[in-house]
Every structure is written in structure tokens, then in C-alpha cells.
Amino acid sequence: MRRISRTLITAALVAAVIGGTAGFASGDSQQPVTGAPAGTAEWRAAGLPDPERMTPAEVARFFAGLSPVRQRELARTHPTVVGNLDGAPLELRYAANARVTHGAFGDTRVLAHDARGRGQVALVYGDLARAEHVSVIVPGSDIDAGRLRPLTDMANELRRATGGRTAVVAWAGYTTPVGVGLDAATGRLAEAGAERLTRFVDGLAAAGAAEPSLFCHSYGSVVCGLAAHDLKAKDLVVFGSPGMRADNVAELGTAARVWAAKDPTDWIDRVPNVEVGDLGHGADPADPAFGARRIAADDAAGHGGYFAPGTASLRTFAAIAEGDVR
């Protein structure tokens, strides 16, 4: 009876804290965007292979069998499909997405753009095809195609900290929670996001990009935790994490190095690290018992300060991105 009482109290505490921490408003429930991109019906009607039945490696082989003229023709006639086909040639995806975004993201190259729901996008800083090192940043709540500034700031600061030597992808490629409510306390959106992230990273490999390091913020670390066993990544770096849905590094089932940072002023520290059914995200990755490599973050401020210039966390992130730490 005592154990049941503790479980009920813990569940209530998780809901209360996540629903009201630091004055954050509870968010509206979101429906994750999944499945094939817009325009797929017309693509299939043209006798082209079903995107939902092809792996990124198969997509790469399909395009490799086409002439450059035919590739460009498909990008012109089916831009919403080609622009989101993981495994398609990078330059072709940039060209396809440029046709539909009409400069909405300035001069930044767009590797993926899905206008459904609140909108999803992947922006590329640097030369993804030639860079020796690639980083992908996976954001937490409230990020979408119309609200990118926190994510793009992280991407730009990481690229600057590496002296421009690392290509960085700002990946707003899944439906994030809005606010800090029940969506942020459960794994439903993270599960859908994990599938999209895995396919995206597989697409980078199929297109010839370097194996990436992933930097996963807040709820994005839940996405990375659920995807970890399938991700082809050198490093998984989590910061401001509510948990990765694993009790320890071994449970993630990954060969990647796992790193964790949490600064002492981050409100996420007041979120209980429990998992009751689908409520809560489990152990704290920054706890030494979890087994992740610790990243000093004492001079970072708050939940979003890990990429602030001059911080120890950003210096370590840059070193990880460039492969300068063992």
C-alpha cells in the first residue's frame, strides 16, 4: 500500500511540476506530423517509387540511377517530395526547398521543409557535403518553422565556436510540445520525433555526409533517447534534459558517446526524474549514476543558456563537435 501511495504521489508531483514549473503555461495538446510529405499522391500517380516504402539508402540508389537532367526535373515538378526525401542528393533537396520556401529563411539552405501543422524545417549552416564534422541540434518545446530563433541561435553559436569548421544542422523536424504541459511530460510526441530523427540521420549518411554528433536540448533529449539505439551518431550530447527514457547509458543501446550537462540554475532540475506509465522521462542523465560523460555547465544561466558565448558548456560542445575530446 505504501508503494502504491508513493507512486500516486510521484505521478501527481510530476504533473504539477511539469504543468507549472517556473511560471510556464500548460500547452495545448499537439498532433504529431508523420507519414509521407505533401505531394506524395501526385508523385505516386506519376509512377515514381513510394517514399514510404523506401529507406534512405534506397532513395539514394534511386536518384543515383537518374540523369542530372531527370533529377532536376523531379525537383521542379515534385519539390515538396524531393525536398523531404531523406537520402536524396543534398544539392537537389536545397533546390527543391528553395522553390517552395521563397526565401523565408533568408540565405540559409533548407534541407527539409514540411508546411503541415505548425511547420517543420531543417536549416544547414556550412558545407554539409564536404565538412569533416557535422552536428545536428535537436530542440525541445515550442520550436517550429515559425519560431526558430532559440534553435538557430544555438546552431550559429556552435558553428562560431568551432571556427566555422563544423557544418551544423538546426533540425526542427518533429512536432514539439507547446509550453510545458502534459505533452512535455509524456513520450507521445518524442516517439514520433524519434522515427523522423532516425530517418533524417540515415539520410545524411546515404547522401555522403559525415557521421554527426547530436546535441539534444530539453524535450529533444527524450527524442534522442528513444532514437538512440538506431541512430548512426558519434556523440549524443544532452543538456537541460528531463530524462532520456532510460535508467542508464547501457539501456540506450547506443555505441555513441553519451554526454550530459545541467547548470545549477536550470529549472529542469525541479522536475522529478521518474517514469510512471507514460508520465515522466526517467533518470537524470546528468546524475553520475546514469553513466554519461559530464560536461561542466556551472557558468551557464537558466534552461537556455548552454550555448552562451564564453561558457564552459559551449567550449566543450565545440570540442565534441570537432572530435577534439576522447
Side-chain angles (χ1 to χ4, degrees), residues 286-304:
D287 187 321
F290 189 80
R293 302 175 185 220
R294 295 295 303 282
I295 295 173
D298 288 349
D299 56 353
H303 191 55

Side-chain angles (χ1 to χ4, degrees), residues 24-323:
F24 280 77
S26 294
D28 296 328
S29 181
Q30 300 293 299
Q31 285 303 118
V33 170
T34 59
T40 296
E42 293 81 0
W43 172 275
R44 292 181 183 129
L48 295 162
D50 189 344
E52 292 191 286
R53 295 180 180 275
M54 287 193 293
T55 66
E58 289 168 338
V59 170
R61 287 195 292 272
F62 168 70
F63 279 96
L66 303 178
S67 70
V69 170
R70 179 58 173 158
Q71 289 184 9
R72 291 192 294 269
E73 180 187 356
L74 290 180
R76 285 195 306 272
T77 55
H78 303 281
T80 57
V81 176
V82 174
N84 290 287
L85 270 183
D86 295 310
L90 300 175
E91 293 295 333
L92 201 65
R93 292 181 68 176
Y94 296 148
N97 286 315
R99 295 181 68 84
V100 296
T101 56
H102 307 293
F105 305 100
D107 296 331
T108 307
R109 284 174 292 189
V110 181
L111 187 58
H113 179 264
D114 192 329
R116 294 175 297 169
R118 287 158 39 215
Q120 300 179 9
V121 66
L123 303 179
V124 177
Y125 301 85
D127 191 338
L128 194 54
R130 293 187 176 87
E132 184 178 352
H133 301 289
V134 171
S135 294
V136 177
I137 303 180
V138 181
S141 296
D142 296 314
I143 300 298
D144 52 46
R147 188 177 186 275
L148 287 169
R149 184 64 181 271
L151 174 60
T152 58
D153 282 352
M154 287 190 279
N156 280 307
E157 292 299 345
L158 181 59
R159 182 157 164 79
R160 273 193 285 269
T162 64
R165 292 179 294 274
T166 295
V168 181
V169 181
W171 186 77
Y174 77 105
T175 303
T176 65
V178 171
V180 185
L182 282 179
D183 275 349
T186 62
R188 183 176 60 91
L189 297 181
E191 288 166 3
E195 291 183 14
R196 293 177 78 84
L197 178 61
T198 299
R199 187 173 178 89
F200 179 79
V201 172
D202 284 348
L204 295 181
E211 188 176 46
S213 294
L214 268 65
F215 293 82
C216 315
H217 181 224
S218 193
Y219 190 81
S221 69
V222 186
V223 176
C224 290
L226 290 172
H229 62 287
D230 289 323
L231 283 174
K232 300 179 178 70
K234 293 190 302 182
D235 299 278
L236 291 179
V237 183
V238 301
F239 47 103
S241 173
M244 300 180 75
R245 300 228 147 197
D247 288 335
N248 49 55
V249 166
E251 281 195 6
L252 293 173
T254 179
R257 298 179 300 182
V258 181
W259 309 76
K262 183 168 66 175
D263 79 64
T265 64
D266 192 334
W267 60 257
I268 203 74
D269 201 36
R270 299 203 291 275
V271 175
N273 289 106
V274 296
E275 190 172 352
V276 181
D278 195 40
L279 192 64
H281 304 303
D284 179 1
D287 187 321
F290 189 80
R293 302 175 185 220
R294 295 295 303 282
I295 295 173
D298 288 349
D299 56 353
H303 191 55
Y306 295 90
F307 283 78
T311 54
S313 52
L314 179 59
R315 286 193 297 272
T316 305
F317 290 171
I320 293 168
E322 292 194 89

